[in-house]
Amino acid sequence: MLENDERIGPYLERPSFLTLRYEDLVCRPEDTMERLHGFLGCDRSTRYLPYDPRDDRYPDRWSWVPEASGPIDPSHAFKWKAQLGSSDLERITGMAGGFIDRHGYDR
């Protein structure tokens, strides 16, 4: 992942690319979707934010993930930090520091 980020990074700076972070999508869905709609040049709509299985052509696709049937829980985006020890976090930060900084993540 880190090697690919360095290789494709220059392309992602072009105006024809938009990078969306998962954390932003689950923590601030309306702001993130507004940014996406602006990038695409289409009308802003919140119609797609709430998930309704009745509107899903394949509602069973996520049946193996129990959390998928409930509302989005933004805390899931960060629970990995609580599950790792401080030495693991330090090692990851050391290895991925450039990626972390480039994509606006906290160290």
Side-chain angles (χ1 to χ4, degrees):
M1 176 180 84
L2 299 176
E3 291 171 4
N4 287 337
D5 182 64
E6 290 178 12
R7 188 167 35 90
I8 66 171
Y11 297 100
L12 300 179
E13 300 302 321
R14 294 179 180 176
S16 58
F17 284 89
L18 175 68
T19 300
L20 297 176
R21 299 180 334 157
Y22 171 76
E23 296 83 355
D24 296 336
L25 185 59
V26 298
C27 293
R28 293 183 303 280
E30 290 189 23
D31 293 341
T32 304
M33 292 306 295
E34 185 169 332
R35 206 172 133 227
L36 176 62
H37 289 133
F39 174 77
L40 295 173
C42 60
D43 293 336
R44 182 180 183 277
S45 173
T46 57
R47 177 176 145 203
Y48 301 105
L49 289 175
Y51 172 73
D52 187 342
R54 295 173 297 187
D55 297 332
D56 193 337
R57 292 174 56 186
Y58 308 101
D60 295 329
R61 79 176 102 196
W62 297 107
S63 61
W64 59 278
V65 181
E67 295 88 0
S69 63
I72 293 173
D73 182 352
S75 70
H76 288 282
F78 305 100
K79 69 180 178 181
W80 64 273
K81 286 185 177 182
Q83 295 172 346
L84 293 176
S86 60
S87 62
D88 291 327
L89 286 172
E90 282 181 35
R91 189 175 55 192
I92 290 169
T93 302
M95 292 170 49
F99 179 92
I100 290 168
D101 296 340
R102 235 181 338 279
H103 296 284
Y105 290 102
D106 295 331
R107 285 185 177 239

